[in-house]
Amino acid sequence: MDLSSLSYHKFVNFAMEEARLCTTLTPLPYQEKVRTMKVKDDKTVLHALSYQAPKIRLLRSLTIDGGSAMQVLDFAGIPEPMFDMPIFCANFFTIPSLSIIVLDLNPMYDTRTQQDYKEKYYLKLLPLGQKYAELLPWGDKITSESLSFFSPIVIWTKFATSQTKHDVLFSAFRDYFKAWLELVDQALPETNSLQILHNKEAQHRYLTWRAEKDLVRNFLFEGADSLGTKTFLDYFPEYRREDGSVNQKRSVIGKSYETRPWNSNGEFIGEMS
């Protein structure tokens, strides 16, 4: 299948236009350095955007346009640490035969154990999550190590690439991003300095996890180096090898979930590992 018609640029354009209706976006200084890059084959183009806004520490996107061979989107909205609201996350990878998708409002705190946090941010969004969980079913096995960073409305799916599924995904992306912007609009700053420190560490832990396995760390996960000094192994010591390095096979460690481990009420029905 020719993927040129399934570009993720329209996803980014929608998000930026929608964000500008709600807030004031300021380009980050390093944006121009990485805005557009071509890789060695001269056919694959990387497009990057990065902004900050009131309440939003980083709003950034990276698209990889491989023409008919591959399309990739990595899009995130990360709040300022004085807010504990979720992180908007869209990670889409598409080749002619297959699309692998993660779309979520990633929780700052584990919703499997933090009931108050889950109710604060996700209770009203459960119908939205249920709608797209039916249209974009669970994508088979995923390990328990990832679930602490997922919410009850996460869309984790795999499907045979098609225009129909791409259109459903675009609809889900729009609805999830608008829901996240509403949370941003409603968010009130934390005044307790200790809670702000907790938020900062929770965000740093999340970014450290994501950055450990990414090639464009400084752009995609800005804050992994500046928000705190703890390392990946400080947060996740269970992945330390005998020689002190990180076990790169960690994604296959631990219990895996072949079906959705949350029910329609947002209750976690899997086993905690």
Side-chain angles (χ1 to χ4, degrees):
M1 180 177 184
D2 187 347
L3 299 184
S4 351
S5 62
L6 304 185
S7 163
Y8 287 118
H9 292 302
K10 71 174 183 178
F11 290 62
V12 176
N13 291 339
F14 166 81
M16 293 306 174
E17 289 171 7
E18 198 72 14
R20 287 189 179 98
L21 293 175
C22 305
T23 189
T24 302
L25 299 182
T26 304
L28 287 169
Y30 52 79
Q31 172 169 302
E32 292 304 320
K33 296 180 182 178
V34 292
R35 186 157 191 163
T36 302
M37 297 177 285
K38 283 191 176 182
V39 298
K40 290 181 180 179
D41 64 7
D42 212 32
K43 296 178 181 178
T44 304
V45 182
L46 281 68
H47 298 276
L49 293 172
S50 57
Y51 296 91
Q52 60 184 12
K55 302 184 183 179
I56 302 172
R57 190 176 65 79
L58 179 64
L59 183 68
R60 60 97 180 124
S61 73
L62 176 69
T63 56
I64 302 176
D65 186 347
S68 60
M70 177 182 66
Q71 297 288 333
V72 176
L73 172 65
D74 191 320
F75 191 102
I78 303 172
E80 293 283 3
M82 66 277 295
F83 302 96
D84 67 355
M85 60 190 176
I87 294 170
F88 182 84
C89 168
N91 296 120
F92 305 158
F93 174 80
T94 295
I95 56 175
S97 60
L98 180 69
S99 291
I100 302 173
I101 304 298
V102 175
L103 175 64
D104 195 17
L105 274 57
N106 288 155
M108 198 86 80
Y109 298 98
D110 192 341
T111 60
R112 298 174 300 173
T113 56
Q114 304 292 323
Q115 186 71 20
D116 290 348
Y117 185 85
K118 182 176 73 172
E119 291 181 0
K120 178 180 179 181
Y121 287 115
Y122 299 102
L123 190 60
K124 293 181 179 179
L125 297 179
L126 291 175
L128 176 66
Q130 186 62 26
K131 171 185 175 180
Y132 287 108
E134 293 172 4
L135 293 171
L136 299 165
W138 192 254
D140 203 5
K141 291 182 180 179
I142 194 165
T143 53
S144 58
E145 63 179 22
S146 301
L147 293 185
S148 66
F149 299 107
F150 286 170
S151 82
I153 65 168
V154 63
I155 300 301
W156 148 243
T157 191
K158 299 177 184 178
F159 52 77
T161 300
S162 70
Q163 184 66 56
T164 300
K165 285 289 190 181
H166 188 77
D167 292 343
V168 172
L169 181 61
F170 185 41
S171 176
F173 179 88
R174 288 183 300 179
D175 287 348
Y176 273 54
F177 190 67
K178 287 191 287 187
W180 183 74
L181 286 176
E182 286 184 16
L183 295 182
V184 172
D185 182 60
Q186 297 164 7
L188 298 175
E190 179 60 61
T191 56
N192 184 301
S193 58
L194 183 59
Q195 186 57 49
I196 293 174
L197 285 175
H198 287 323
N199 293 347
K200 191 173 182 179
E201 179 160 304
Q203 192 177 121
H204 185 247
R205 181 176 182 269
Y206 169 88
L207 293 170
T208 300
W209 173 262
R210 293 288 311 276
E212 175 63 25
K213 51 185 175 179
D214 206 283
L215 298 177
V216 256
R217 172 193 180 101
N218 290 336
F219 173 74
L220 292 183
F221 305 110
E222 193 280 325
D225 295 322
S226 61
L227 283 177
T229 58
K230 287 186 179 180
T231 67
F232 178 87
L233 290 173
D234 289 331
Y235 286 122
F236 310 102
E238 61 270 33
Y239 301 109
R240 184 186 300 275
R241 297 168 62 102
E242 289 184 5
D243 63 2
S245 63
V246 176
N247 185 349
Q248 296 300 324
K249 294 183 179 180
R250 65 187 187 281
S251 60
V252 297
I253 293 175
K255 180 177 176 59
S256 62
Y257 296 86
E258 296 185 8
T259 57
R260 189 175 189 85
W262 288 276
N263 64 20
S264 58
N265 295 320
E267 297 165 342
F268 187 74
I269 54 176
E271 295 179 12
M272 295 283 287
S273 60

